Amino acid sequence: MLADAFTREVSKKVITPKPHPITVAYGDGIGPEIMKATLKIIKAAGANIQEEIIEIGEKVYLSGNTAGIESSAWESLRRTKVFLKAPITTPQGGGFKSLNVTTRKILGLYANIRPCISYHPYVKTKHPVMDVVIIRENEEDLYAGVEHQQTDEVIQCLKLISKPGSEKIIRYAFEYAKAYGRKKVTCFTKDNIMKMTDGLFHKIFDEVGAEYPEIEKEHWIVDIGAAKLADTPEAFDVIVMPNLYGDILSDVAAQITGSVGLAGSANIGDGFAMFEAIHGSAPRIADMNKANPSGLLLAAVQMLVHINQKDVAEKVQNAWLKTIEDGVHTYDIFKEDVSKQRVGTDAFADAVIERLGQKPATLKPVNYADSSATIKVQLKERKPVTRQLVGIDVFLNYNNRNANELGAELEKIQVGNIKLNMISNRGAKVYPNGFPETFCTDHWRCRFVCAEMRDCTYQTMLHLQQQITQAGFEIIKTENLYLIDGIPGYSAGQGQ
Ligand code: NAD
């Protein structure tokens, strides 16, 4: 009897899981207002979270910290591994590092996920049926930040595309499509021009895509793909892109939904994740109770799915959709003909809270019950490639714009059986048999290749560079030429 009563008593007690710790930054400008509204809504919906507040942004920058984030903040991020971030103001003037770039790099947030959805007819848009998710590679490409001024006239920025970097983001895109029931993954590159870097991204897309037979796949050259996206976004579902194209096109995609103010984004890595609105700190409307908290709220929804509180995520987003559908709008999306009530930040938050538990009638409700919370990607084991040195590109700073004179001088240099093969200027072949019409800068690529592999060693390359220097030329950099698994691992000169 006593045992039965005890069992009944225990089973009545609901075991509440421990709150999930998250790091929160209130940011600058409208940041504090929209963060307060967002936290109020998600907590009212039952989010089981414990916030650790950190200071980032303008105040930290102006205190002399060029990174915009205190070192103690990293400790919080290391503990919680989840960051809900309001927008910050980057002070005017140079010397301040982008906090977003720093956070992405330090925490290894390789994937940027931005759902771009239109809410027709409640938010004015030219694209009523748009529902596209842009998945952007976040760590490499031209954003590696490796730039050098090499000559008076030429500055170089290195575009770095890696096999693991590409594989990680492409696998993430396919896993995301699987987790969220999406049907198609499109890849944008410019591999008709950048055959090696973008070519690698495309090749890995084809390779990884073959492992997902249930998902439709397609590749577009980024220029015409971007035009198609801007014109007919309903033709796309999930789009995966290298960093630069993704940066530009995720803004275009968000804008054409009707309002950048409604988009949230997630930055995901293997161990960490950061969630934020895509807009900035809008200082002109700060402290006026006017700002739309929707971008940050939808980022918080992504966070709730990530920390496996999918039921809360669903409840919040459906209530938000119902609020939009009911015409309760902040000033930025308010339109006399469709909106019913013009509200400020706080009243908008209260309107969403009033609708918790309701679903939209016209807009498509969300369902996260079947989506996987955390997407994990596993890289494929790859066999190491074979590399054979076959020559060297020697880059010269040379002021005389005459390619034939340079060629004639370099032909005189004899080291083993290594021979001048061609000279190019800004990629176009100008020697031998160049066109006099080709404009040349002071930056010359002089390609030397070995006639026989026997003498093709690093020593030969060093000896060649000594001879070039002794002949009075200034070498600004070199690139070794390799056959990779027997195939040239370098591009030909244009016109070669
Ligand atoms: P912004 O996104 O802050 O503002 C652009 C326009 O959109 C403004 O008219 C603004 O009033 C409006 N707007 C933006 N968010 C809104 C919202 N939630 N509700 C209603 N209207 C909104 O861009 P900006 O003016 O170019 O930049 C302002 C500051 O934000 C700058 O210091 C910039 O460096 C910073 N910024 C930060 C982030 C970030 O923290 N992730 C991103 C972009 C810009």
Side-chain angles (χ1 to χ4, degrees), residues 119-419:
Y119 303 101
H120 173 81
Y122 309 103
V123 178
K124 213 167 175 176
T125 170
K126 293 180 186 129
H127 302 288
V129 287
M130 177 172 180
D131 182 359
V132 179
V133 180
I134 308 275
I135 299 193
R136 160 192 171 194
E137 197 289 317
N138 230 358
E139 290 181 301
E140 49 188 50
D141 192 2
L142 287 153
Y143 289 59
V146 187
E147 296 188 296
H148 295 97
Q149 174 143 12
Q150 297 180 322
T151 65
D152 188 10
E153 294 175 345
V154 175
I155 299 175
Q156 170 191 270
C157 174
L158 281 187
K159 174 172 165 111
L160 297 171
I161 300 279
S162 75
K163 275 185 205 167
S166 306
E167 188 182 337
K168 251 169 140 178
I169 192 70
I170 289 163
R171 277 195 190 281
Y172 189 94
F174 280 103
E175 286 297 322
Y176 180 97
K178 222 168 92 176
Y180 288 86
R182 298 223 164 220
K183 304 281 179 281
K184 181 165 79 169
V185 179
T186 304
C187 173
F188 282 2
T189 73
K190 187 77 185 171
D191 68 339
N192 55 333
I193 303 295
M194 283 158 283
K195 295 188 168 66
M196 298 191 63
T197 46
D198 281 21
L200 174 67
F201 198 88
H202 186 175
K203 187 167 152 252
I204 292 182
F205 176 77
D206 289 344
E207 181 188 297
V208 171
E211 295 174 31
Y212 297 84
E214 72 284 13
I215 296 173
E216 195 188 328
K217 293 150 284 263
E218 61 179 13
H219 172 267
W220 288 74
I221 297 296
V222 61
D223 40 21
I224 189 65
K228 177 88 177 169
L229 174 66
D231 182 63
T232 325
E234 61 274 20
F236 298 100
D237 192 348
V238 172
I239 313 180
V240 63
M241 285 180 256
N243 207 341
L244 177 66
Y245 315 140
D247 189 2
I248 299 167
L249 292 180
S250 57
D251 266 18
V252 172
Q255 178 69 32
I256 65 172
T257 62
S259 171
V260 185
L262 301 185
S265 91
N267 291 275
I268 308 278
D270 290 330
F272 294 91
M274 174 171 86
F275 302 87
E276 61 179 346
I278 70 165
H279 59 73
S281 58
R284 273 198 300 260
I285 55 159
D287 302 320
M288 293 167 82
N289 189 26
K290 275 179 83 174
N292 187 346
S294 300
L296 187 60
L297 182 67
L298 293 181
V301 165
Q302 286 181 279
M303 177 191 79
L304 290 167
V305 176
H306 178 79
I307 61 173
N308 210 6
Q309 298 189 16
K310 292 184 278 184
D311 49 340
V312 187
E314 201 174 296
K315 199 168 165 186
V316 170
Q317 195 166 348
N318 283 333
W320 176 82
L321 286 165
K322 181 81 171 81
T323 311
I324 295 294
E325 197 176 271
D326 286 347
V328 183
H329 293 167
T330 42
Y331 84 96
D332 54 314
I333 57 168
F334 189 89
K335 291 276 171 314
E336 288 296 344
D337 44 341
V338 285
S339 307
K340 303 237 162 54
Q341 202 186 338
R342 189 185 186 116
V343 289
T345 315
D346 295 343
F348 182 81
D350 292 338
V352 177
I353 291 169
E354 269 168 36
R355 288 164 178 79
L356 287 169
Q358 297 182 37
K359 286 188 177 170
T362 316
L363 293 170
K364 194 170 148 224
V366 292
N367 174 3
Y368 291 126
D370 304 327
S371 43
S372 315
T374 311
I375 296 171
K376 289 260 178 252
V377 300
Q378 186 86 40
L379 293 188
K380 198 172 100 173
E381 286 238 355
R382 289 176 188 274
K383 312 208 284 281
V385 294
T386 62
R387 289 144 52 84
Q388 185 184 11
L389 186 69
V390 293
I392 189 165
D393 277 349
V394 179
F395 290 77
L396 300 180
N397 174 20
Y398 177 71
N399 265 324
N400 178 349
R401 295 189 196 273
N402 189 319
N404 288 331
E405 280 177 26
L406 176 62
E409 288 298 312
L410 292 177
E411 295 275 11
K412 291 184 200 155
I413 296 171
Q414 286 294 321
V415 177
N417 63 22
I418 198 162
K419 294 255 164 356

